Amino acid sequence: MSKMATETSQRLRSGAVIAVAMGIMNLATYGYTVLAAHTIGKEPYGAFSALMGALLVISVLSLGLQATGARRISSAPDQVVAIERVVLSVGLRSALVLAALGFAIAPLLNAVLHLESLPTALLVGLTAFPLTYMGAQLGVLQGERRWGPLAAVYLAQGLGRFGFGAVLIVIRPGEFSAILGVALGAWLPVVVGWWALRRPRTGAPHSEGHPGLDLLREVGHSSQALLAFFALSNADILVARATMSDSEAGLYAAGLIMVKAVLFLPQFVVVYAFPSLSQESSNRRTLVLALAMSAALGLVAVLAVAVLPGLALQFVGGDDFADIKGDIWKFAIVGTLLSMLQLLVYSALARRQGRAILFIWTALAVLVGLALSVATATSLVMVVVAVDAVLFLGLLTMALAQARPGVQIPAETRPA
């Protein structure tokens, strides 16, 4: 077998490992979400979904750490040991700060989201620490392309949430138990990540140092971009929870189960492609292939939901949410658009495209403004489809223009 054939075979196997691990993680995560929807009731589930939206927004620092660590290591493999040390150190301090912030804003979350349970809101801070530190661990493993340990961390993330959460909500149904399961499950992948990184890799090159301050600035830049994306993808449920009736907000939260399922269906594409997106020689080709794969998976999901709405209804919560049955395919479209937007956001991070962040924040402002003017779940999902579609076209045009041959990453943004 030729060297090229061997390398291709290894890449396919590595991609398959990540795809399977993240598929199981997402299946466990959304299996838990569906179990919660069926078990805790419509109104408690609306509160649970709103808190999960808040956690996703809070976790952007974790994703910023992961993106920065992966980009730096894949772009500067001669500095892997120094980068790992800095990323893990920054990750630990950031986790402590974000956990403290989560505890501090708990009373505000309790009031704004109408939880009527401060202990439930405090669980956001308890979850923030492991979620943030896990991002630093994932960034190191992803940048080094250590796909086996990376897959193990993702598996632990999904299975930990399902294992702890399922037991808790069966024993005592309610939003507190549902969020507590998420908080406890978030610690399992941190343990797995620690185990994978506990010993130095003898084959990894060493370097004298790495510019930690520069890395911190990039973490901030990456986190801001990801904050914009996750705020965009979760602002709708927060607006629904704050302005709609509990019944309508619960219906919309059920539809979001489909959105998140379709959004994370091709998530392995982002994880596997990101190190290549950081390399100028393969950026455009990788982006086009990744977008095509995400679009194909999304199209399959939309068609399946349109043909089998009854089965889709059971997936998002069952007969209690029957009023949303005819609109579930629209939520699948939202998930498809968001999955491709996520790829474009990571492509922008890889090439340090600052204008993309402005586009996303502008779209968020437009989305919130329009969302405040509607009063039903059906109307809100159509608003989200329109805003996401326009944003996708704008970011795609920018990405293809700046990823064409001959367009270089600015020197000041390249690894030191």
Side-chain angles (χ1 to χ4, degrees), residues 292-367:
M293 183 174 292
S294 295
L297 291 171
L299 179 60
V300 170
V302 171
L303 292 176
V305 171
V307 172
L308 301 170
L311 180 61
L313 179 63
Q314 296 305 311
F315 177 78
V316 302
D319 294 338
D320 286 345
F321 303 90
D323 290 343
I324 207 74
K325 179 179 178 180
D327 297 304
I328 300 177
W329 64 274
K330 299 174 185 176
F331 288 93
I333 291 177
V334 173
T336 302
L337 287 169
L338 287 176
S339 70
M340 293 189 291
L341 282 171
Q342 186 177 41
L343 265 170
L344 292 172
V345 169
Y346 274 93
S347 175
L349 292 181
R351 296 188 64 85
R352 308 301 300 278
Q353 296 170 346
R355 284 190 300 166
I357 303 176
L358 296 177
F359 277 38
I360 301 170
W361 284 119
T362 301
L364 173 62
V366 172
L367 174 62

Side-chain angles (χ1 to χ4, degrees), residues 87-109:
V87 169
L88 292 178
S89 175
V90 171
L92 179 59
R93 294 196 297 269
S94 300
L96 290 170
V97 171
L98 204 57
L101 178 63
F103 289 126
I105 66 172
L108 179 63
L109 289 175

Side-chain angles (χ1 to χ4, degrees), residues 141-377:
L141 296 172
Q142 184 182 1
E144 292 186 34
R145 293 175 168 85
R146 297 178 63 196
W147 304 120
L150 184 67
V153 175
Y154 280 123
L155 278 173
Q157 184 180 6
L159 296 178
R161 177 178 298 185
F162 186 88
F164 284 105
V167 171
L168 289 170
I169 63 175
V170 168
I171 293 175
R172 186 178 179 181
E175 61 267 34
F176 177 82
S177 296
I179 291 293
L180 180 60
V182 173
L184 296 177
W187 284 95
L188 184 58
V190 171
V191 173
V192 174
W194 168 83
W195 182 262
L197 296 169
R198 73 192 188 284
R199 296 174 183 171
R201 269 78 62 218
T202 56
H206 288 254
S207 60
E208 292 299 324
H210 187 75
L213 184 60
D214 188 46
L215 186 141
L216 277 171
R217 284 196 294 265
E218 186 174 340
V219 169
H221 172 83
S222 300
S223 298
Q224 182 186 165
L226 292 165
L227 173 63
F229 173 74
F230 279 96
L232 177 73
S233 60
N234 290 280
D236 48 355
I237 182 57
L238 297 178
V239 172
R241 183 70 185 173
T243 63
M244 294 182 183
S245 66
D246 288 345
S247 178
E248 283 294 327
L251 287 175
Y252 194 81
L256 287 183
I257 296 178
M258 182 60 65
V259 172
K260 302 306 181 185
V262 179
L263 167 59
F264 291 111
L265 181 64
Q267 190 180 25
F268 71 93
V269 178
V270 179
V271 172
Y272 191 75
F274 185 70
S276 296
L277 288 172
S278 301
Q279 299 171 348
E280 296 177 27
S281 60
S282 59
N283 180 279
R284 184 168 185 166
R285 179 175 181 273
T286 300
L287 177 60
V288 171
L289 290 174
L291 284 172
M293 183 174 292
S294 295
L297 291 171
L299 179 60
V300 170
V302 171
L303 292 176
V305 171
V307 172
L308 301 170
L311 180 61
L313 179 63
Q314 296 305 311
F315 177 78
V316 302
D319 294 338
D320 286 345
F321 303 90
D323 290 343
I324 207 74
K325 179 179 178 180
D327 297 304
I328 300 177
W329 64 274
K330 299 174 185 176
F331 288 93
I333 291 177
V334 173
T336 302
L337 287 169
L338 287 176
S339 70
M340 293 189 291
L341 282 171
Q342 186 177 41
L343 265 170
L344 292 172
V345 169
Y346 274 93
S347 175
L349 292 181
R351 296 188 64 85
R352 308 301 300 278
Q353 296 170 346
R355 284 190 300 166
I357 303 176
L358 296 177
F359 277 38
I360 301 170
W361 284 119
T362 301
L364 173 62
V366 172
L367 174 62
V368 172
L370 294 176
L372 291 172
S373 66
V374 300
T376 66

Side-chain angles (χ1 to χ4, degrees), residues 32-34 36-37 40 42-54 115 120 161 169 174-180 182 241:
Y32 176 59
T33 302
V34 173
I40 67 177
K42 185 190 299 185
E43 294 183 7
Y45 179 74
F48 167 73
S49 183
L51 283 172
M52 291 302 295
L115 300 176
T120 301
R161 177 178 298 185
I169 63 175
E175 61 267 34
F176 177 82
S177 296
I179 291 293
L180 180 60
V182 173
R241 183 70 185 173

Side-chain angles (χ1 to χ4, degrees), residues 78-88 205-211 215:
D78 59 314
Q79 298 186 31
V80 58
V81 175
I83 296 173
E84 173 184 334
R85 183 170 58 251
V86 174
V87 169
L88 292 178
H206 288 254
S207 60
E208 292 299 324
H210 187 75
L215 186 141

